[in-house]
């Protein structure tokens, strides 16, 4: 099925990929009344949604549940990068680095070219960059380019690394420090428009192929072929049966499967106004003091913000649903990036922040504890007849390969997700010709004209959600009609990321409430 086929028409007609309250209620009732899908997936982040799509494409019946909204856990707290695995290459894990490079190419060129854009990374060679770190970065970029070539990713998609002079480096990142600036390495990698947008697109594509996507359904216990479910909206509980149960609950998987031993790692990002770095058009990389192959990155976003990250610190005890950014974490990031800038950044430059947890797999019994920054990002699948199939570890870029590793265990049919575009996907060369506002095309791809149709029917939707930000009210309406959003939090904290800045969120709440009140749900029955 083509991207246009799963996209569906505009207006109020049937849209197979639409996630609506009516559809959720109908499919949840079906599950409670005895429907036994081939797979019941617990967790609707990148991995769980990816498993649902893979299974549906192979002809399996599948339901995916999550105790909260789509991408409400680790998946929404990423760096929003689809990267080629340079860090894994530096650590000697060639297999994982090559897998990352292959998957990056699949996403950028076939599966989601509308959601993953090329982003230049500037590594300045100045007083803040130790010569050894600069040389190693250059060698790493050249090795990474060899991986890109071996993965078959076009140079038009990802240009190779190059050295540029001081003037060009500062044109891309005006805040780069001038003392001893000799130039910079420029390397290009993949950047997601937004991680939640990607998860929603995966889930909607799965729904278009028949998957039941059921957010706000908690799981209290699991077995090999059964799970105890509770509808978080009504409090009603029931036992669901399936051919197999799959746990893909990220850093919370060990709460459902006691075979899992995790060493979660906390990753923190700060949100800066783009003016603090001179409104950069490229990311900037700065070495972490005392580490030859660790860097922090300042990552420009489409909305004019810059995300600065990230930390990698072990977490002991229970992993909370959300966590604050601590002063020490903030200061670590500001100090690291300031080493390569003209002006040191201070806490007053920070307008927001977020923290997430990586579900890293602990080392084997008797192994010496390693820093979480040194633990493998490879994934692990646990599968025996007496329990669920549980997948942990891994990373965003390789979600599709992780999903295939799970579905291969229950299906003899080949995986085809490497050839299935997500909703809204179009070849990159066609995106500039989509008849819609560039901001909408950048976030919705081929579905952008559907948002324009909503604006034509209700011009109020063309207004901004918050003055000074590019998000439009129509995006909130579309999220209600097509993307399963039912609350202010769904709209501001996930379907858009306005909520990352508290003052922006406060200003947006009245508009979000009005959209929820005036937007009729799209029927899918």
């Amino acid at each position: 099925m083509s991207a246009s086929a799963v996209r569906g028409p505009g207006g109020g007609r049937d849209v197979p990929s639409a996630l609506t309250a009516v559809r959720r209620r109908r499919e949840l009732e079906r599950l409670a009344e005895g429907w036994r899908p081939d797979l019941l997936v617990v967790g609707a982040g990148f991995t769980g949604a990816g498993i649902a799509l893979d299974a549906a494409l192979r002809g399996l019946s599948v339901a995916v549940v999550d105790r909260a909204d789509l991408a409400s856990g680790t998946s929404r707290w990423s760096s929003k990068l689809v990267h080629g695995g340079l860090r894994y290459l530096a650590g000697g894990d060639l297999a994982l680095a090559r897998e990352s490079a292959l998957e990056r190419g699949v996403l950028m060129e076939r599966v989601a070219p509308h959601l993953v854009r090329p982003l230049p990374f500037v590594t300045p060679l100045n007083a803040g960059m130790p010569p050894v770190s600069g040389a190693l970065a250059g060698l790493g970029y050249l090795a990474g380019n060899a991986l890109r070539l071996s993965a078959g990713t076009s140079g038009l998609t990802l240009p190779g690394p190059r050295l540029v002079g001081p003037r060009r480096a500062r044109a891309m990142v005006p805040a780069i420090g001038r003392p001893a600036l000799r130039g910079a390495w420029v390397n290009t990698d993949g950047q997601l428009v937004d991680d939640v947008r990607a998860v929603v697109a995966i889930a909607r594509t799965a729904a278009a192929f028949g998957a039941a996507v059921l957010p706000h359904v908690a799981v209290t216990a699991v077995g090999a072929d059964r799970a105890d479910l509770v509808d978080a909206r009504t409090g009603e509980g029931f036992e669901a049966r399936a051919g197999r149960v799959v746990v893909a609950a990220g850093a919370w998987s060990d709460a459902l499967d006691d075979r899992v031993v995790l060493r979660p790692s906390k990753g923190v990002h700060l949100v800066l106004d783009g003016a603090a770095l001179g409104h950069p058009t490229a990311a900037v990389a700065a070495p972490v003091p005392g580490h030859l192959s660790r860097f922090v990155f300042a990552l420009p976003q489409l909305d004019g913000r810059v995300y600065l990250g990230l930390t990698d610190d072990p977490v002991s005890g229970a992993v909370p649903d959300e966590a604050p950014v601590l002063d020490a974490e903030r200061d670590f990031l500001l100090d690291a990036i300031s080493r390569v800038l003209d002006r040191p950044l201070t806490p007053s430059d920070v307008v927001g922040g977020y923290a997430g947890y990586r579900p890293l797999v602990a080392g084997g019994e008797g192994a010496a504890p390693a820093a979480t920054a040194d633990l493998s990002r490879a994934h692990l699948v646990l599968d025996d007849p007496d329990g669920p199939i549980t997948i942990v570890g891994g990373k965003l870029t390789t979600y599709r390969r992780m999903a295939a590793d799970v579905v291969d265990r229950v299906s003899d049919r080949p995986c085809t997700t490497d050839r299935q575009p997500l909703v809204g996907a179009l070849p990159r060369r066609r995106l500039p010709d989509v008849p819609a506002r560039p901001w909408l095309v950048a976030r919705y791809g081929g579905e952008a004209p559907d948002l324009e149709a909503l604006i034509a029917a209700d011009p109020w939707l063309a207004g901004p959600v918050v003055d000074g930000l590019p998000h439009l009210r129509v995006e909130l309406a579309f999220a209600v009609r097509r993307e399963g959003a039912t609350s202010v939090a769904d709209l501001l904290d996930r379907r858009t990321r306005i909520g990352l800045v508290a003052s922006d969120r406060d200003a947006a709440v009245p508009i979000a409430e009005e959209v929820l009140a005036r937007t009729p749900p799209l029927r899918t029955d």
Side-chain angles (χ1 to χ4, degrees), residues 205-224:
T205 309
F209 286 95
V213 179
L214 304 171
H216 302 288
V217 177
V219 179
T220 59
V222 297

Side-chain angles (χ1 to χ4, degrees), residues 494-510:
R494 288 175 288 278
R495 302 305 182 279
T496 69
R497 310 314 290 275
I498 293 171
L500 291 176
V501 178
S503 59
D504 291 341
R505 192 184 198 282
D506 291 343
V509 167

Side-chain angles (χ1 to χ4, degrees), residues 38-41 51 54-55 58-62 224 243-246 383 389 403-413:
D38 296 317
L39 281 185
L40 174 61
V41 184
I51 292 168
D54 192 330
R58 298 197 210 193
L60 299 178
S61 58
V62 57
R244 287 301 302 270
V245 172
V246 178
D383 181 15
I389 301 172
D405 199 3
V406 169
V407 183
D408 282 347
R409 294 164 189 267
V410 297
S411 175
D412 293 330
R413 294 185 179 182

Side-chain angles (χ1 to χ4, degrees), residues 3 6-7 106-118 191-194 197-198 200-202 204-205 302 420-431 434 438-448 483:
V6 296
R7 179 173 68 83
V106 168
L107 289 171
M108 295 190 74
E109 296 189 334
R110 297 198 295 277
V111 170
H114 63 312
L115 295 177
V116 189
R117 65 170 181 160
Q191 182 187 39
L192 278 170
V193 169
D194 183 65
R197 289 224 56 73
V200 171
I202 297 165
R204 288 183 56 210
T205 309
L302 287 178
Q420 176 57 54
L422 302 182
V423 289
L426 290 173
R428 194 174 305 279
R429 67 181 183 278
R430 289 179 54 192
L431 290 171
V434 174
W439 167 258
L440 296 179
V441 176
R443 287 177 55 81
Y444 299 88
E447 288 196 305
E483 298 180 342

